[in-house]
Amino acid sequence: MRTLFKGGTVITGRGPKRADVLVEGEKVRQVGRLILTPADRTVDVEGCLLFPGFIDAHTHFDLDVCNTTTADDFTTGSRAALKGGTTTVIDFACPNKGESLQYGLDLWHKKADGRTFCDYGFHMTIDDWNESIRAELPEMFRQGVSSFKMYMTYPAMMVGDRDMYWALKELRHLGGICGVHCENAGVIDGMIAEKKAAGLMGPSSHPETRPPYLEAESVSRLLRIAQAADCPVVIVHLTNEAALREVEAARKRGQRVYVETCPQYLVLEDSVYDDPDYSRAARYVCAPPIRKDRDQQALWTALRKGEIQTVSTDHCSFTLEQKDAGRGDFTKIPGGLPGVENRGELLYTYGVTTRKISLATMCRVLSENPAKLYGMFPRKGVLQDGADADIVVYDPQADHVLRAEDMASLAGYSPYEGFAIRGGIHQVWLRGRLAVEDGFVLAGPDGKYIPRGKCSL
């Protein structure tokens, strides 16, 4: 089956270009102005933008945390992702302390295989470091897991500086990449104790106990550990200007540092925690917290300059009923936001149409860079001969307003309720098959596991 997309503008990491796209089976076969190869069907995309399928490299589906389980499993979460133009997710396989990496990987395959609407891969969380874990790492690479994650907070998952140093040295040797959640756990615990002693137990205490300078301190400490290990690292969900300056200093020392941020840090401000209605404030509790306008502006500037490489969502959804567990104690609010469905439209609306970023930057941070960073390029992240035919058809004229009632996520609310969106996603094609049209998911679950190679960014 040959499909010709005719009349659109193809978006690449170098910029937009008027071009038609010929797809044969699951692959792109030709991109150009005068494609003469006969097609079985022609799709009129006149006036539309054609992006490579978006990649969300930071999701948490079917995760047990805070004595509950995320609202979205791989079926509902990936369906929401696909509806929003994300054709590939990389979720985090999270074995508990004392469990093997292989156990964690097998468990996540059971959660995802045959149940996922978009293509998918896994990062592997390292929350223990010992000889057994070290010995397992080569097998993870053989099974297509080339990226890992460590935490500098959360007692159930964090590792100390010594173990992080040893783990990073081993990953450097194997050619892997590691993302790190950077917050200063000890001082955060001290600040939480002070809030509790003062009886300040509402959601507004959450951002006050996780200030931006403690994130920056943790980023600085990680980067010095990475310097000692001579290992590149990814700072996941970076939120603020002070942390960006630490990255800038490390890069000036010659270190290789990749940065990810998320839509919530680009379009929301910390005043969301001041709402006197508990339910409205608690829904925004996530870690790190949402920051101030000046941090938001610093992130947009860093995106424009290429200092931030990827925008993922950290989709970790809970219903408002689940969030209610923290009423009277903000530390018991399950942390995380839904967002996998809205990322592309938010970046286009609040980045591209306001001229904070270009279409080329949007393509790089949503598609091309994550594909390169996580070992999927050029199969994913680009529209060129031989790539998977993952195509997002974006109609710049399809303006609409985000409403929770229209979302596929099971969270039951949207952090972006009422946001006006410029344009909208008209179609999503997954490996040459029409999967979404005008908000309706037409196919699946038939996502494929994507074994990944080493970083090429």
Side-chain angles (χ1 to χ4, degrees):
M1 169 70 80
R2 288 181 182 145
T3 303
L4 180 64
F5 295 82
K6 193 167 183 61
T9 298
V10 173
I11 310 302
T12 75
R14 294 183 178 180
K17 61 181 180 181
R18 290 279 293 178
D20 300 335
V21 179
L22 181 68
V23 169
E24 185 172 358
E26 295 192 347
K27 298 291 184 180
V28 176
R29 286 303 173 209
Q30 193 175 349
V31 178
R33 288 302 298 270
L34 294 172
I35 296 178
L36 302 177
T37 306
D40 300 292
R41 61 182 172 183
T42 299
V43 181
D44 181 4
V45 289
E46 185 72 37
C48 291
L49 309 174
L50 272 59
F51 288 91
F54 304 147
I55 298 167
D56 193 338
H58 194 149
T59 63
H60 296 285
F61 298 151
D62 201 357
L63 178 66
D64 296 326
V65 63
C66 292
N67 300 311
T68 189
T69 304
T70 52
D72 286 310
D73 60 13
F74 275 86
T75 299
T76 63
S78 66
R79 190 172 184 272
L82 191 61
K83 186 168 175 278
T86 292
T87 52
T88 307
V89 297
I90 311 178
D91 203 80
F92 291 89
C94 299
N96 296 316
K97 287 184 184 291
E99 295 173 345
S100 69
L101 302 184
Q102 188 64 56
Y103 175 84
L105 183 57
D106 290 344
L107 178 60
W108 252 254
H109 271 295
K110 289 177 183 177
K111 292 172 184 272
D113 293 354
R115 303 176 182 179
T116 305
F117 278 78
C118 60
D119 288 351
Y120 60 98
F122 303 120
H123 308 286
M124 177 57 62
T125 296
I126 297 175
D127 53 22
D128 257 342
W129 186 253
N130 51 49
E131 179 56 30
S132 177
I133 296 294
R134 188 200 65 77
E136 281 193 275
L137 289 176
E139 182 58 28
M140 293 296 102
F141 284 83
R142 281 192 286 272
Q143 296 183 52
V145 177
S146 55
S147 54
F148 300 81
K149 185 179 183 182
M150 289 188 283
Y151 289 83
M152 300 177 81
T153 187
Y154 304 135
M157 293 184 258
M158 65 186 292
V159 297
D161 292 354
R162 182 199 65 180
D163 289 347
M164 182 169 288
Y165 166 70
W166 282 343
L168 288 176
K169 286 193 73 173
E170 190 65 22
L171 291 176
R172 179 203 65 189
H173 171 70
L174 294 169
I177 195 82
C178 188
V180 182
H181 179 136
C182 296
E183 290 186 284
N184 186 308
V187 182
I188 287 171
D189 286 346
M191 288 184 165
I192 288 173
E194 290 169 345
K195 289 291 184 184
K196 287 186 173 183
L200 301 173
M201 302 300 286
S204 63
S205 288
H206 173 72
E208 293 173 0
T209 59
R210 309 180 97 96
Y213 55 82
L214 288 185
E215 180 186 346
E217 182 279 333
S218 187
V219 167
S220 175
R221 184 158 39 95
L222 165 70
L223 293 176
R224 289 300 189 179
I225 296 169
Q227 181 183 23
D230 190 24
C231 184
V233 288
V234 184
I235 312 297
V236 300
H237 49 48
L238 184 142
T239 74
N240 68 83
E241 184 176 15
L244 277 171
R245 299 292 77 81
E246 298 297 341
V247 172
E248 181 182 15
R251 286 172 173 162
K252 286 181 178 178
R253 295 193 295 266
Q255 289 183 248
R256 193 148 48 111
V257 187
Y258 305 103
V259 176
E260 165 200 277
T261 194
C262 307
Q264 56 266 35
Y265 306 121
L266 293 167
V267 301
L268 298 174
E269 296 176 23
D270 64 353
S271 59
V272 295
Y273 298 114
D274 298 332
D275 196 308
D277 183 301
Y278 168 86
S279 178
R280 285 202 293 265
R283 66 186 64 187
Y284 295 101
V285 167
C286 59
I290 293 157
R291 304 298 190 190
K292 296 189 180 299
D293 176 76
R294 63 176 176 268
D295 295 306
Q296 189 184 107
Q297 300 313 312
L299 295 176
W300 282 116
T301 299
L303 279 170
R304 185 173 64 252
K305 292 181 176 180
E307 296 168 358
I308 295 175
Q309 283 67 50
T310 68
V311 177
S312 301
T313 63
D314 195 7
H315 180 97
C316 191
S317 61
F318 299 98
T319 65
L320 295 180
E321 289 76 17
Q322 288 174 300
K323 291 277 188 179
D324 204 50
R327 192 178 289 272
D329 184 352
F330 69 93
T331 65
K332 295 181 180 178
I333 302 172
L337 303 178
V340 74
E341 195 167 338
N342 310 124
R343 181 178 52 136
E345 293 182 340
L346 288 169
L347 244 65
Y348 180 80
T349 300
Y350 297 98
V352 173
T353 69
T354 61
R355 300 188 177 181
K356 290 185 176 74
I357 61 171
S358 66
L359 284 168
T361 296
M362 179 172 166
C363 180
R364 285 195 298 271
V365 300
L366 295 188
S367 303
E368 186 176 302
N369 285 351
K372 291 178 177 178
L373 181 60
Y374 296 115
M376 295 184 287
F377 191 86
R379 178 177 180 178
K380 303 288 188 183
V382 65
L383 297 178
Q384 67 179 32
D385 182 22
D388 281 358
D390 300 339
I391 303 173
V392 178
V393 181
Y394 199 99
D395 181 357
Q397 304 304 315
D399 294 1
H400 61 287
V401 174
L402 295 182
R403 302 291 185 196
E405 61 198 41
D406 301 323
M407 301 297 159
S409 166
L410 294 187
Y413 77 96
S414 170
Y416 313 108
E417 182 74 25
F419 275 44
I421 297 299
R422 298 287 301 276
I425 293 170
H426 171 48
Q427 293 178 335
V428 183
W429 296 72
L430 178 65
R431 286 180 276 104
R433 180 180 178 186
L434 180 60
V436 177
E437 188 165 33
D438 295 329
F440 293 95
V441 180
L442 307 175
D446 56 1
K448 289 184 178 180
Y449 174 67
I450 306 297
R452 297 179 293 109
K454 296 179 180 179
C455 171
S456 65
L457 181 60

